[in-house]
Amino acid sequence: MLSFFTTQNLLVRLVRLAVGLFLYGMGIALMIRGNIGASPWDVFAQGLSRTTGVTFGWCTIIISGAVLLLWIPLRQRPGVGTIANAILIGLFADLGLAMIPQAEQLLLQGVLFAAGLFIVAFATALYIGAGMGPGPRDGLMTGLVRVTGRPVWMIRTGIELAVVVVGFFLGGVVGAGTAAFAMGVGPLTQVTLRWLRVDLRGKDLRAGAVHPVDVANLS
């Protein structure tokens, strides 16, 4: 009986993980189609895509792979969710971009971006609730915090400023949406965490598990 409930719990967590990653990819696609700016990492992927001609989703996967390589000297351990995150979000984002047309009118741009932001926050809460490992970028941040001893805000700000500047010069769209994402995704994620009754204090904080220091940066 215990084995049955353990298996059932694992299946529920895997479903949450899969649905969370799918929605995250769709949310990113909505924000990109809004064309008023996106998260710093998405600006980087968008710029890389425009420079290389590789799809946005595959650029996201390539960046995730490069970030995971940086985990090695930091001695970070990936979880199942980490690998799934690195691969599936980019694929789902490409699917969303193929389905969602580019918004041209400002009102529609705002609606698409707002919908994408909310979906990303909700998807983040689902993903955290699965408790199967941090995303590549989140693990990079927490690993640097541990190794350097610098505060979270300093490490996160440094990383995101670097990627958004590089992304901008590569042709990524930086705008009001970028600022809105930075200010809005954290509070929205906190709200959806409460809706889904995810208790971060109950999560395993060992390497390779969800780290609650920054729930706004799990892509």
Side-chain angles (χ1 to χ4, degrees), residues 46-72:
Q46 187 180 36
L48 186 61
S49 175
R50 292 184 173 184
T51 301
T52 63
V54 178
T55 69
F56 172 87
W58 275 102
C59 284
T60 299
I61 293 170
I62 291 167
I63 291 170
S64 295
V67 170
L68 283 177
L69 290 178
L70 297 177
W71 281 35
I72 297 173

Side-chain angles (χ1 to χ4, degrees), residues 20-216:
L21 295 180
F22 172 76
L23 290 177
Y24 204 109
M26 293 295 111
I28 288 174
L30 283 166
M31 290 191 292
I32 293 296
R33 289 306 190 211
N35 202 36
I36 57 173
S39 76
W41 284 100
D42 292 334
V43 171
F44 183 24
Q46 187 180 36
L48 186 61
S49 175
R50 292 184 173 184
T51 301
T52 63
V54 178
T55 69
F56 172 87
W58 275 102
C59 284
T60 299
I61 293 170
I62 291 167
I63 291 170
S64 295
V67 170
L68 283 177
L69 290 178
L70 297 177
W71 281 35
I72 297 173
L74 296 175
R75 297 184 179 180
Q76 291 284 93
R77 291 180 295 171
V80 172
T82 307
I83 304 304
N85 181 305
I87 297 171
L88 294 181
I89 285 181
L91 297 179
F92 290 142
D94 267 353
L95 177 62
L97 289 170
M99 296 168 53
I100 303 167
Q102 181 74 48
E104 302 295 341
Q105 297 180 341
L106 183 60
L107 178 60
L108 183 57
Q109 288 177 306
V111 169
L112 286 184
F113 179 86
L117 178 59
F118 177 81
I119 289 171
V120 162
F122 183 78
T124 300
L126 275 176
Y127 176 85
I128 293 174
M132 302 189 78
R137 296 150 186 79
D138 194 51
L140 173 64
M141 181 192 66
T142 55
L144 286 172
V145 168
R146 176 175 50 80
V147 169
T148 65
R150 301 294 183 180
V152 171
W153 70 264
M154 183 181 296
I155 295 297
R156 181 186 174 184
T157 301
I159 292 173
E160 297 204 352
L161 279 177
V163 297
V164 79
V165 168
V166 173
F168 174 75
F169 282 109
L170 289 175
V173 178
V174 177
T178 308
F181 183 93
M183 292 185 294
V185 71
L188 281 173
T189 301
Q190 290 289 353
V191 170
T192 53
L193 282 167
R194 288 197 294 270
W195 287 354
L196 296 173
R197 299 181 181 179
V198 177
D199 183 5
L200 292 178
R201 293 170 301 178
K203 296 298 176 188
D204 186 353
L205 303 185
R206 293 170 299 180
V210 171
H211 200 298
V213 293
D214 189 0
V215 299

